[in-house]
Amino acid sequence: MSVRAGETFDVVRAVTDIEALLAAPLPDTGPTVAEGDPDTGEWTVTAGEGFRIVPLWESDSLDGMHGAEWDDAIEAAEARLASLAAVLDSRWGAHRQVAVHVALLLEQDGEPVPALFQALLDEDCHGDLAVWGPVSGRGRWAGVSVGHSDGDAPLVMAAVVSDHPVVAPEPPSWL
């Protein structure tokens, strides 16, 4: 669960949150650390060497949803992401897709996963990233995704800012 659980998606707020994330300092070194709300423990931010990830929106649980109802919830989340990506495309140009599932395959094989991608997986952000960069005149890359770790888990929309290019890790050798 993230601090965004129960909030209505607002594209203007999401863009404002991403702009704030772009302006915030990024850790130069150190381990990846996820932080939670002091009262609820709900995820607020994950920071690691050269990156930050924040939740932008979280759906209700998909527990008990099946068929058309489940499909509708997925489509609505993807439409929210598309509306956000369209606004960001108008600011920064067309985005490119970066696959996150490759990191999941590496993790399942016990192979090393780049810290940014491991942090996404740790917060159940399994959706592919729409990435722009460098943006903001600071040499930073920004990305957004929506996804979840299993069929019943809430969908989480997250934003990533990195001072390194955001590219998918190399796939496992068997792929």
Side-chain angles (χ1 to χ4, degrees), residues 63-78:
D63 190 34
M65 286 188 190
H66 304 286
E69 184 182 22
W70 191 86
D71 291 342
D72 290 347
I74 300 295
E75 287 176 18
E78 290 172 352

Side-chain angles (χ1 to χ4, degrees), residues 79-106:
R80 289 179 179 97
L81 179 64
S83 69
L84 176 57
V87 171
L88 297 176
D89 282 348
S90 71
R91 290 175 176 230
W92 301 324
H95 66 276
R96 62 185 172 76
Q97 288 296 115
V98 175
V100 173
H101 72 275
V102 174
L104 184 58
L105 294 172
L106 290 170

